[in-house]
Amino acid sequence: MSDHIYKIVEITGSSKSGMEDAVNNALKRATKTLHNLRWFEVTDIRGDIENDSVMFWQVTVKAGFKLDD
């Protein structure tokens, strides 16, 4: 068995529904160009406020994927 080597990318997803959807949107989009995604870490959470209400959530994640052997 070989050692696993990972690459980390930072991406930001957004959603009107909430933080979890923002994370899922970011990761779902990342899978279109990256493969072997293994983990993520939330590094930043922001929101857009309009008329005294949260309109959008933005969540920045670091996502790790295993490099091909």
Side-chain angles (χ1 to χ4, degrees), residues 9-64:
V9 295
E10 188 173 70
I11 53 179
T12 301
S14 64
S15 173
K16 286 186 172 186
S17 301
M19 292 181 286
E20 186 174 347
D21 281 344
V23 170
N24 283 322
N25 289 342
L27 295 174
K28 186 175 183 177
R29 175 58 183 86
T31 62
K32 290 183 179 184
T33 54
L34 302 173
H35 61 279
N36 294 326
L37 285 172
R38 298 290 192 225
W39 54 266
F40 73 92
E41 172 188 357
V42 173
T43 60
D44 198 18
I45 301 170
R46 292 177 298 284
D48 180 47
I49 301 169
E50 290 182 23
N51 299 323
D52 300 327
S53 295
V54 175
M55 296 305 292
F56 275 96
W57 291 91
Q58 287 185 332
V59 178
T60 301
V61 298
K62 288 183 180 179

